[in-house]
Structure formats: C-alpha cells, structure tokens
Amino acid sequence: MTMRMPWLRMMALALALPLPALVPATASARSGDSVRIYAGSTPLRDAAGRQWRPAGSALDGRRSRIRRPLDITHTPKLYETLAEGLHHARLRVGRPGRYAVTLYLAESRRLSRPRTFRVTAPGVSQVVDVPVGGGLQRPVHTAFEVVVRGRSLTLRFRAAGGRPEIAAVEAERLGPVGMAPVAPVFEDRFDGPAGSAPAAATWEAETGFGWGPTQVQAYTDRPENVALDGAGRLAITARAEDYVDARGVQGSYTSGRIESRLPITLERTRIEARVRVPPGAGLWPVFWASGVEPPAWPASGELDIMEFSGLRPRLLYGFVHGPQRRGSPQAYQNGATAQRLDFAAATHLYGIRTEPGVVEFTVDGHRYGSVSRADVPRGAPWLLARPYRLVFSLALGGFGGVIAPGTAFPARMLVDDVSVWR
C-alpha cells in the first residue's frame, strides 16, 4: 500500500549460485536445527544464501524438469527439478522437537483437472492444491508445524487429482515439544453503537493529504469516514466532497485509514479479517501490515494481506515488500494473485499464515499463493521479525487507477472482525 512506482511491479529473475564444492547427498540436518533438500542433483545456494542439498532417495518420486523459468522467484533453479509421483519423503532432523515444515512446489503443465494431493505427517493431514496455490509457472509453498519425537520425520503423499510433485522440502526446528499451543494475541469484533469511533486504545486514525502523488484522498478521523456501523462492523467510507485539511490543503475526496497501536511481529503468526470491498475504478482498499519506522520504507518492511485495485475487480493481490539488499532504498516486491468471481459482491475472509521463511496468503481459508526467503532478491533481508502495525485503508487513485465517472460514492469498505493468532 506504500506508494510504489510502476517499475517496482516488474520482477527480475536471478539464478542462484551453486556451491563451489560438491557435498555428499543426504537428507540430514547439519546442525540438527534445520534440513533443506531439493530434487536437483547438485548442491544449491538460494537467493537468501541458504544451502540446499540434493535429496537423493529421500524423495522417492521419479525426476522431471520444468522447461521454462518460473515467475516471482529469484531462485528459479530450486524449482527446476521435481520429484513426481511422490509417495513419501524422509528427513533426518537430528533431534526431537517442534518443526516448521515447508513444501516447495511448482506447476509446469496445463492439466485437465487441478493437481491436488494429501500430505500427512505427525499431527497433520491436509490437502495441497497446486493450481489454487499460484498457477502455472509460479512457485507455491505450503507450511505446517509437526512434532518429531525421534530423529527422523516421514511425510506421506497421496494423490487426489494428478500425481504429487515436490521441488524441495525444508524443516526448521522451532523449539522443544510441549510448548504452548497457538492462541489469539489480538482481536477486535468492532462492537459498539453506530457512528462511534473504533476503540481508541486499539486503533489510531491517520489524517490529511499527501499519501503519494497519484492518490487524491484526504484521510480524516470524522465518523463520516471512519466509524462503527452498529452491526459489528467497521465502516471506512470514501466520499466525493470538497475538503480542506488542517494544513489548508484542498481536495475533492475524503476517506479513512486506521492503524493498530500495538506493534506485532509476523513470525509464526496467523492473521485474518472478514472484509467486504467496494466496487469501482479508482478505489484501492487494502488490509496490510506496515513496518514500524525507523528505518524508513522499504527497510521497515510491508506485507499486503489483501489488496484490491478497482481497475481489476476479479483479482486479489497479496504482496511482500522489502529493500533489494541491506541499505538499498529500492524495493522488491514478491506476491501472489487469486482470481474469482466479483470479490466486491460478498464478504470474504482474508489472511496470511507465516512459518519461518514463508508467508502464505489465504482467502476463505484456502491458500492461493505464497512467498519464501528463496524467492526474494539475493542479499535482501527477510523482515518478518521486525515490528509491524495492522492497517485498514481505502485510498483513491494510485493502484486503484483513475476514478471513473461510474464509480459510486459514498463507497464503503466493511470489516467484520480481525484477529491475530500466534
């Protein structure tokens, strides 16, 4: 949601550098804390500088190749070789504990039906839908937590539609067995009388013009722009009206933006909100996490959980932003899109789930894309450990495009509830 120039949406592909010396194939962790294996035949260093070892027999499927480079990744070589028809994967993790497991996938062929399969592990059984996860020629990740009682972990795969294909598997130790389960650490149901402001102890409103040269709205804290609707929803309302802000700047549109007062970290977190977005070219509703400054954006980080452009009403966007490399003022952008029927026609549940090194984007509980540390530019930091604030905003112009004559005002973005789990 931070102002971005158009060239930031152009993704450059960067091949990962191979390690200078061969390492014997193994599926065991070097330190006992993590293990990374992939279906290729030579050792690999990804864009984040992490080492991946050839899986050998740890991935039991036959090897196949992706012929075309993948989009939205800076380590395409990690996804070039797939273990196809996989039945199981065996990893020696070194010591017992709770582990975050991430599967790295990619779809290389147009299928007559979706490629789906079930993966099971200790305490886990879930269906993976690869096309929903990102689509053709794009990387996909799915992450989950398992408890390992011994020194090895076995993942099992069962086909549902098409044969399972895995490019790589990562297991990272989170801590010993028996730690506290995931619990809500933040939530707001937006209960209160119609016209009242959201809880002042929880949210603060940003005000004024000046949010980018292509945005035309003034954010205000007036109930006409930010208020509860009396039915358990927050209403952020954009209006076409003459307005003068506190500095004397004049404009023709007002809207609202609120930001959580309590900073959160995005590591090992699930964040969800039920939101209905308004239709219309020129509208730009976003539910996002903004990194607390300093340092200044993009080094502060940004994660767009739900982003819409009024120009493209059938597309949902999720983005991760950060600096190209440490100390760089230029931003990278990696993300995912989901295409459905008109999103503005109903309320949907939008969210993210994070595990070490991966962000998954969801809509109505279904993963539609993800970003991992392997996909960001070489030398760029992974910023999820920094403090963030949650933001709901309804901008005008910018990524939403030019306001069309047919766009109806007032336009309302409605938020039923928001929750953060860790």
Side-chain angles (χ1 to χ4, degrees):
M1 176 60 191
T2 301
M3 181 188 70
R4 297 185 288 271
M5 299 300 291
W7 58 265
L8 289 178
R9 298 195 176 277
M10 301 176 60
M11 301 304 304
L13 295 178
L15 290 176
L17 295 175
L19 295 176
L22 293 180
V23 179
T26 177
S28 63
R30 178 176 295 180
S31 67
D33 285 339
S34 64
V35 55
R36 300 181 186 94
I37 60 174
Y38 85 119
S41 58
T42 59
L44 172 72
R45 189 185 302 275
D46 67 24
R50 301 175 306 162
Q51 298 181 9
W52 295 78
R53 300 186 178 201
S57 61
L59 299 177
D60 69 343
R62 69 179 183 86
R63 301 306 192 260
S64 62
R65 300 272 296 185
I66 291 181
R67 301 299 179 185
R68 293 165 47 202
L70 292 177
D71 297 326
I72 319 294
T73 178
H74 287 263
T75 313
K77 194 171 182 63
L78 182 61
Y79 305 89
E80 278 184 1
T81 306
L82 304 174
E84 185 179 3
L86 198 67
H87 296 291
H88 64 264
R90 292 194 177 96
L91 298 90
R92 296 195 298 275
V93 295
R95 55 175 173 163
R98 293 164 38 255
Y99 284 79
V101 176
T102 304
L103 306 182
Y104 289 68
L105 311 100
E107 185 53 71
S108 60
R109 296 185 290 274
R110 295 192 180 276
L111 304 176
S112 59
R113 59 175 178 165
R115 184 185 301 280
T116 59
F117 57 90
R118 181 173 294 278
V119 57
T120 58
V124 174
S125 178
Q126 67 180 56
V127 173
V128 178
D129 188 325
V130 181
V132 168
L136 198 65
Q137 298 304 132
R138 305 187 75 175
V140 183
H141 317 95
T142 185
F144 47 85
E145 185 176 321
V146 299
V147 173
V148 179
R149 301 290 180 182
R151 296 181 178 271
S152 64
L153 168 65
T154 299
L155 309 176
R156 302 190 183 278
F157 305 89
R158 186 178 66 190
R163 302 204 297 176
E165 290 185 348
I166 302 292
V169 183
E170 178 181 16
E172 184 167 347
R173 193 172 188 272
L174 302 174
V177 177
M179 293 183 65
V182 173
V185 295
F186 175 91
E187 58 184 359
D188 196 338
R189 304 298 177 188
F190 298 112
D191 295 322
S196 60
T202 305
W203 304 97
E204 63 179 320
E206 300 285 349
T207 60
F209 290 98
W211 300 92
T214 59
Q215 297 182 43
V216 298
Q217 80 286 342
Y219 289 133
T220 89
D221 57 2
R222 304 177 308 167
E224 293 92 331
N225 296 115
V226 180
L228 307 182
D229 71 350
R233 296 179 300 188
L234 167 71
I236 297 180
T237 306
R239 297 180 178 275
E241 59 179 338
D242 293 331
Y243 182 78
V244 181
D245 74 3
R247 298 175 299 166
V249 180
Q250 299 180 352
S252 300
Y253 297 93
T254 62
S255 190
R257 164 176 163 157
I258 65 169
E259 187 172 298
S260 66
R261 292 184 181 275
L262 178 66
I264 62 172
T265 64
L266 302 184
E267 288 188 313
R268 299 194 61 244
T269 300
R270 188 174 87 237
I271 303 175
E272 294 177 327
R274 297 184 186 277
V275 183
R276 182 162 185 170
V277 299
L283 301 180
W284 185 8
V286 193
F287 167 39
W288 52 299
S290 175
V292 175
E293 298 184 1
W297 189 90
S300 57
E302 176 184 341
L303 199 158
D304 300 319
I305 301 168
M306 174 220 75
E307 185 164 12
F308 282 93
S309 167
L311 293 177
R312 306 167 187 87
R314 297 180 183 275
L315 288 179
L316 163 66
Y317 298 89
F319 292 117
V320 174
H321 300 269
Q324 291 282 4
R325 58 188 181 278
R326 295 193 184 277
S328 170
Q330 298 181 347
Y332 70 78
Q333 172 178 287
N334 287 73
T337 59
Q339 184 167 346
R340 294 168 58 105
L341 297 177
D342 189 358
F343 281 99
T347 298
H348 295 280
L349 180 66
Y350 302 103
I352 58 166
R353 175 183 171 183
T354 69
E355 293 287 358
V358 65
V359 176
E360 294 186 311
F361 298 92
T362 64
V363 56
D364 297 328
H366 300 288
R367 291 182 300 273
Y368 68 87
S370 56
V371 175
S372 90
R373 272 185 290 197
D375 300 326
V376 305
R378 181 174 287 109
W382 187 250
L383 297 173
L384 295 195
R386 295 200 77 256
Y388 286 76
R389 300 185 191 276
L390 296 182
V391 185
F392 292 98
S393 58
L394 176 52
L396 296 155
F399 188 51
V402 177
I403 300 172
T407 298
F409 291 95
R412 296 203 306 171
M413 174 183 179
L414 297 173
V415 184
D416 277 2
D417 55 66
V418 58
S419 59
V420 178
W421 297 70
R422 183 174 297 114

